[in-house]
Amino acid sequence: MYQATLSRRSYRFNDLRQLLAKASPARSGDYLAEVAADSAEERMAARIALADVPLKTFLQQLLVPYEHDEVTRLIVDSHDALAFAPISHLTVGDFRDWLLSEQADSAMLARVAAGITPEMAAAVSKLMRNQDLILVAKKCRVITRFRNTLGLPGRLSVRLQPNHPTDSLQGIAASMLDGLLYGCGDAVVGINPASDSLPLLEKLNYMLDDVIQRFAIPTQSCVLTHVTNTLRLMERGVPVDLVFQSIAGTEAANQGFGINLALLAEAQQAALSLNRGTLGNNVMYFETGQGSCLSSNAHHGVDQQTCEARAYAVARHFSPLLINTVVGFIGPEYLYDGKQIIRAGLEDHFCGKLLGLPLGCDVCYTNHAEADQDDMDTLLTLLATAGLTFLIGVPGADDIMLNYQSTSFHDALYIRELLGLKHAPEFADWLTKMQITDERGQLRDTAANHPLLLALQGEKR
């Protein structure tokens, strides 16, 4: 039992699960799940009570039963007590103050990351203002490598997303070329296929590999199909760089995705055996998003932001090259408007970085949400200020296959110019060599005889 008194009224919370849910900022998904605070006053009372909870409590009182959930078992069994030691005496409120202090610099945050559980990260985020989430995330440094180096300070990468509603190779190639000529693609060239046909998935992988190899582009490709399809492709000798999978924060929700930890481990080992990375062996790419556990009725009464943080424990176990939250993609049933999407994006980025993950974000919304591109401009600017690892680049910001609104190649130009952010270093050198950018990293005017343009014309013929 937890309790706090506010305005002469005593509020009681039955357990840690309820306390976390009531302390969470208001969002439509928690109201849908009937776990949200009934009033702003109850929410504040929950935060007051939560601030006094020792961090050690999260190791003793589990939100989802150990015996029923492999994600809980992963969190408990992989907890690093040595890394936890420097902060083990703190309460959630003390933890917030410590994270904001000069003592918690980048090196210290890296040392304690393995000792922080997702529930601890979620709990402290509920006590933080937006500026707190930004400041702490900015201090977290997470660097990963495959064919280039991602996550270095002062750099921001872009996933080039050349989706097409009919998986037209020519249409995908045109969008891919467009993105490369705008300097996008250093995070990954990643296609969401409209079809799960293995022959088509093969063609997409071979096309991406051909372009990357032909022009010696220091990046990686990924066809974002189900992990079982990727395993079958690797068995057939298809050139797979990264293994993709959507993941969630409970075993039951992951079962809804058709996966478990053993399957992810099998796929990781298969990808590692291909030895396709030139600089590193981070071979996994994960996507998450608040609301996925609730949408599959697999949340166990846990609020959606805490469930999201638990998904990061799954990702952390597999040392991914990339992970991003598709923050506004699931819809207004879970994040109703621009305000809720902005807050959720900052929470996700903070929790992921705090747990030691290379967090990126699909700054996005669906067309039936109470949000617009101005809201996305705000979130993009805040996340980039907070040290975002990568964002998504879609032609015109309008994904014509998935039918949602994201960020464009031009948005990447805006945020780089605004904050002086650079590409991944190896990719930046390639852009200069290909005369796409000048020595200062500024875009050049592309000549009609540029080799990438000529290559696309050859593909069309």
Side-chain angles (χ1 to χ4, degrees):
M1 176 74 73
Y2 300 90
Q3 62 182 31
T5 300
L6 197 62
S7 300
R8 299 182 180 179
R9 178 178 175 181
S10 180
Y11 289 88
R12 290 180 172 82
F13 309 96
N14 295 329
D15 53 27
L16 197 55
R17 182 191 296 111
Q18 186 183 63
L19 180 64
L20 286 168
K22 298 288 188 179
S24 194
R27 62 205 54 193
S28 52
D30 288 338
Y31 287 114
L32 180 64
E34 300 182 339
V35 300
D38 293 330
S39 66
E41 186 173 285
E42 184 184 30
R43 183 174 298 110
M44 184 54 67
R47 290 174 180 172
I48 291 170
L50 180 60
D52 290 333
V53 175
L55 291 181
K56 291 180 179 178
T57 303
F58 294 94
L59 300 174
Q60 301 157 356
Q61 298 182 28
L62 305 179
L63 304 186
V64 184
Y66 181 93
E67 60 273 16
H68 296 153
D69 188 90
E70 68 173 1
V71 177
T72 298
R73 293 194 290 274
L74 175 67
I75 292 168
V76 173
D77 296 347
S78 64
H79 183 251
D80 189 329
L82 186 62
F84 182 57
I87 58 173
S88 61
H89 61 290
L90 301 177
T91 64
V92 176
D94 294 333
F95 188 35
R96 172 192 176 274
D97 294 342
W98 181 83
L99 288 170
L100 293 167
S101 72
E102 293 183 359
Q103 182 184 355
D105 58 15
S106 297
M108 175 58 79
L109 289 172
R111 285 199 291 273
V112 302
I116 302 171
T117 68
E119 292 84 357
M120 295 175 194
V124 74
S125 77
K126 298 176 193 298
L127 305 185
M128 291 178 142
R129 293 169 56 186
N130 286 0
Q131 64 175 256
D132 300 336
L133 298 173
I134 292 168
L135 182 61
V136 175
K138 179 74 170 180
K139 296 192 287 185
C140 297
R141 299 275 183 258
V142 184
I143 298 170
T144 58
R145 294 179 175 88
F146 189 77
R147 291 200 188 99
N148 57 19
T149 306
L150 304 176
L152 292 170
R155 298 182 184 268
L156 174 67
S157 296
V158 178
R159 170 189 159 188
L160 173 48
Q161 184 169 300
N163 295 343
H164 193 279
T166 65
D167 290 327
S168 163
L169 296 186
Q170 289 184 353
I172 289 170
S175 294
M176 183 178 176
L177 169 68
D178 192 23
L180 289 171
L181 292 177
Y182 275 109
C184 296
D186 47 347
V188 63
V189 181
I191 301 170
N192 298 92
S195 168
D196 282 332
S197 160
L198 279 183
L200 173 67
L201 298 176
E202 274 195 32
K203 290 179 181 178
L204 292 175
N205 273 281
Y206 276 112
M207 183 195 74
L208 293 176
D209 184 63
D210 175 64
V211 174
I212 289 173
Q213 299 301 330
R214 195 189 328 173
F215 294 100
I217 308 174
T219 191
Q220 36 283 327
S221 66
C222 185
V223 176
L224 282 70
T225 186
H226 194 269
V227 63
T228 52
N229 289 332
T230 306
L231 274 167
R232 294 169 68 186
L233 292 172
M234 289 189 285
E235 291 169 358
R236 295 165 70 153
V238 175
V240 171
D241 287 345
L242 304 182
V243 174
F244 168 81
Q245 183 56 48
S246 294
I247 57 173
T250 68
E251 178 179 345
N254 283 324
Q255 287 175 347
F257 284 138
I259 63 166
N260 55 37
L261 298 180
L263 180 61
L264 294 178
E266 179 186 354
Q268 182 188 36
Q269 290 305 309
L272 287 170
S273 71
L274 299 181
N275 198 31
R276 292 178 56 80
T278 55
L279 295 183
N281 59 1
N282 299 113
V283 296
M284 305 298 282
Y285 175 22
F286 296 118
E287 280 190 346
T288 66
Q290 289 194 29
S292 58
C293 289
L294 176 58
S295 68
S296 59
N297 195 29
H299 58 100
H300 297 274
V302 179
D303 68 272
Q304 67 180 38
Q305 190 254 332
T306 302
C307 284
E308 170 73 3
R310 284 170 55 91
Y312 301 155
V314 176
R316 181 167 64 176
H317 184 65
F318 295 101
S319 303
L321 178 76
L322 304 164
I323 170 175
N324 69 266
T325 167
V326 287
V327 64
F329 182 75
I330 301 182
E333 301 85 356
Y334 307 97
L335 297 170
Y336 178 71
D337 57 14
K339 180 180 176 66
Q340 292 187 10
I341 293 171
I342 289 168
R343 174 67 191 192
L346 294 175
E347 289 170 348
D348 294 351
H349 182 249
F350 162 82
C351 288
K353 282 293 187 67
L354 192 62
L355 293 168
L357 286 169
L359 229 295
C361 184
D362 190 346
V363 179
C364 64
Y365 63 101
T366 57
N367 291 315
H368 61 310
E370 291 295 322
D372 58 28
Q373 212 65 38
D374 285 338
D375 295 316
M376 299 306 102
D377 287 349
T378 299
L379 179 54
L380 169 61
T381 305
L382 294 175
L383 285 171
T385 304
L388 184 70
T389 301
F390 73 103
L391 68 149
I392 308 299
V394 177
D398 183 4
D399 192 302
I400 58 174
M401 195 284 281
L402 292 173
N403 291 310
Y404 78 116
Q405 308 305 309
S406 184
T407 43
S408 71
F409 307 143
H410 298 80
D411 293 326
L413 294 179
Y414 146 74
I415 202 65
R416 290 191 198 283
E417 182 175 350
L418 178 70
L419 300 178
L421 299 170
K422 300 178 180 179
H423 304 82
E426 302 84 0
F427 194 80
D429 292 343
W430 178 82
L431 290 172
T432 303
K433 178 183 176 182
M434 293 293 291
Q435 298 188 342
I436 296 172
T437 60
D438 60 23
E439 291 74 12
R440 299 170 300 162
Q442 301 297 311
L443 281 181
R444 294 176 180 267
D445 290 334
T446 304
N449 62 350
H450 192 281
L452 285 171
L453 284 170
L454 295 176
L456 176 63
Q457 292 170 6
E459 291 290 336
K460 286 183 176 179
R461 288 195 295 268

